[in-house]
Amino acid sequence: MLTFLRRHALLKHPFPAAWLAVLRRLPWYARLDPDLQRRLQGRIQIFLAEKTFEGCGGLDVTDAMRVTVAAQACRLELHHDPSHFPHCSTVYLYPDAFVSPVTQVLPGGVMAQVPTARIGESWHRGGVVLAWSAVEASTWAEWTGRNVVLHEFAHQLDSGSGAVDGAPLLRNRAAYARWAQVVSGALTRLRAHLAWGEAPIDPYAAQSPAEFFAVTTELYFEAPQLLHAFDPALHQLLEDYYGAFPEAGAQAA
Ligand SMILES: [Zn+2]
């Protein structure tokens, strides 16, 4: 209840002009209708009040950086009841790719933690790590199908169902059954394509159901035609989950 009242009070604060200037530079913001623009602003106010941003590797985090990250994270929940990403309390920002231990299978089948350069990471509990150079690149270059903020916060939505398993929190068992059916069919087909040396979408999606959800989320917002061409049923599944985005459809015009 306290959280509800606090969030309600936050929404009465005017949206700062400097933050609005950042939003207006986002390529898709102008395509939202005024109601959605206001809704996004409110969600950003809540996001920035509730999450801590921490600069790493000598980065000074500016308000423009915070608003740029928050806007794209909140875009994911613009058309449905927001979770406000409860498992993410801190966003860690590095200037560039950072090194993090990643579990890999070495020759001989040995599992080991190998230091690996990364541009983003999502923790099941605690936070999201992002390389600012990658955030900037994916923010300004539309329709590449890549967006590190959408990718990592899709993992956060995934963890909202209790496990990072490629399925976010859904309404009921029937919705989970449909999700599993559509995703497993699409993932099997992707792996078959890759075995033939074809990559209809980013091969990284084939790593696991969790990466499949994160990568196809990027495509849903940033290259919807490509996703639709790969698998119309999967595109429809994500549209039913995220909501229809007329501002994403502008690519087709
Ligand atoms: Zn990922």
Side-chain angles (χ1 to χ4, degrees), residues 182-243:
V182 173
V183 167
S184 74
L187 191 48
T188 302
R189 223 156 39 74
L190 174 60
R191 286 175 173 154
H193 275 292
L194 295 175
W196 284 99
E198 302 159 1
I201 62 171
D202 184 350
Y204 191 61
Q207 290 256 331
S208 65
E211 294 307 337
F212 189 80
F213 174 56
V215 169
T216 55
T217 290
E218 291 178 80
L219 292 173
Y220 179 68
F221 289 89
E222 299 282 350
Q225 279 84 350
L226 180 68
L227 182 66
H228 193 273
F230 167 60
D231 192 319
L234 179 64
H235 181 274
Q236 186 63 54
L237 186 79
L238 292 184
E239 185 172 303
D240 292 346
Y241 174 65
Y242 284 117

Side-chain angles (χ1 to χ4, degrees), residues 30-195:
R31 298 197 296 268
L32 295 172
D33 69 41
D35 284 348
L36 284 177
Q37 289 183 343
R38 272 191 294 276
R39 187 187 296 172
L40 181 72
Q41 291 172 13
R43 301 275 173 85
I44 292 169
Q45 283 172 298
I46 291 169
F47 188 101
L48 292 182
E50 295 184 355
K51 321 283 182 212
T52 303
F53 277 68
E54 212 174 294
C56 307
L59 184 72
D60 279 328
V61 178
T62 63
D63 266 9
M65 292 175 183
R66 295 163 74 236
V67 173
T68 300
V69 171
Q72 295 179 90
C74 294
R75 189 183 181 198
L76 290 171
E77 297 198 301
L78 202 50
H79 290 270
H80 59 80
D81 285 343
S83 69
H84 299 290
F85 307 102
H87 302 314
C88 173
S89 55
T90 307
V91 177
Y92 301 89
L93 276 186
Y94 282 84
D96 288 302
F98 50 91
V99 175
S100 179
V102 172
T103 305
Q104 287 184 12
V105 182
L106 300 178
V110 180
M111 304 274 276
Q113 296 274 305
V114 179
T116 308
R118 316 201 63 184
I119 58 167
E121 204 166 278
S122 168
W123 301 338
H124 186 38
R125 289 281 181 275
V128 163
V129 192
L130 296 163
W132 174 248
S133 57
V135 173
E136 262 200 312
S138 49
T139 298
W140 309 124
E142 271 202 301
W143 317 130
T144 60
R146 310 233 173 194
N147 186 305
V148 67
V149 181
L150 298 181
H151 182 107
E152 301 308 337
F153 279 91
H155 283 315
Q156 287 289 313
L157 291 177
D158 190 349
S159 68
S161 62
V164 186
D165 58 2
L169 191 61
L170 299 170
R171 277 185 306 277
N172 52 39
R173 287 177 66 168
Y176 279 107
R178 176 181 172 228
W179 192 278
Q181 186 198 8
V182 173
V183 167
S184 74
L187 191 48
T188 302
R189 223 156 39 74
L190 174 60
R191 286 175 173 154
H193 275 292
L194 295 175

